[in-house]
Structures are given as structure tokens and as C-alpha cells.
Amino acid sequence: MIYKVYYQDSFDQVPVRENTHSLFIEADSVRDVRRKLAEKNYNIEFISPLTGAYLDYEQQKEDFKVETF
């Protein structure tokens, strides 16, 4: 399954909507996403599974790229 992860670059930053980044990652579960990103110093705000129409919508964007870790 593909997940969209909303995050801040560092735990040291105060979460601000304008500084929130996102990435797409393939994993078996939310726990697996967190395990794969554990080495990064990301302040993860939210993890959303992409399915159906939501996945189709995101795939149409030119910046859609599934990250591998």
C-alpha cells in the first residue's frame, strides 16, 4: 500500500503548516512506515493511506514519486 506522510524536517522545528512537507512511501502498515523513516530526523505529523480515487488523484500530479528506504 502507498502512504502519504506529512512531516517537518526536524524535531527541533515547531510545526507550522507552511513548512510541512510530504512524501509518498510504499509499506505494509503505518507501523512499517514509521520503522522505515526512523533513521530520518523527521517530525511526522500524519500518515494517510492512499487508495481508490485519492491515489488516482495524487498519481496525476507531476511531483508524485514513491520514495524507497
Side-chain angles (χ1 to χ4, degrees):
M1 177 174 274
I2 297 176
Y3 292 87
K4 185 172 186 178
V5 180
Y6 298 91
Y7 68 94
Q8 301 289 320
D9 286 327
S10 173
F11 280 107
D12 299 335
Q13 291 181 339
V14 175
V16 177
R17 182 183 312 173
E18 290 80 6
N19 295 335
T20 299
H21 303 283
S22 64
L23 64 86
F24 302 95
I25 186 169
E26 189 167 359
D28 296 326
S29 65
V30 172
R31 180 179 286 175
D32 192 29
V33 171
R34 291 188 181 276
R35 185 184 55 77
K36 289 181 177 185
L37 296 176
E39 294 179 6
K40 306 288 185 185
N41 192 26
Y42 293 157
N43 184 3
I44 297 174
E45 294 181 26
F46 187 70
I47 300 173
S48 174
L50 297 181
T51 58
Y54 187 28
L55 177 59
D56 294 338
Y57 172 76
E58 291 291 350
Q59 287 175 332
Q60 292 175 4
K61 293 182 178 180
E62 62 185 48
D63 63 342
F64 180 81
K65 179 184 173 193
V66 178
E67 302 287 334
T68 57
F69 291 94

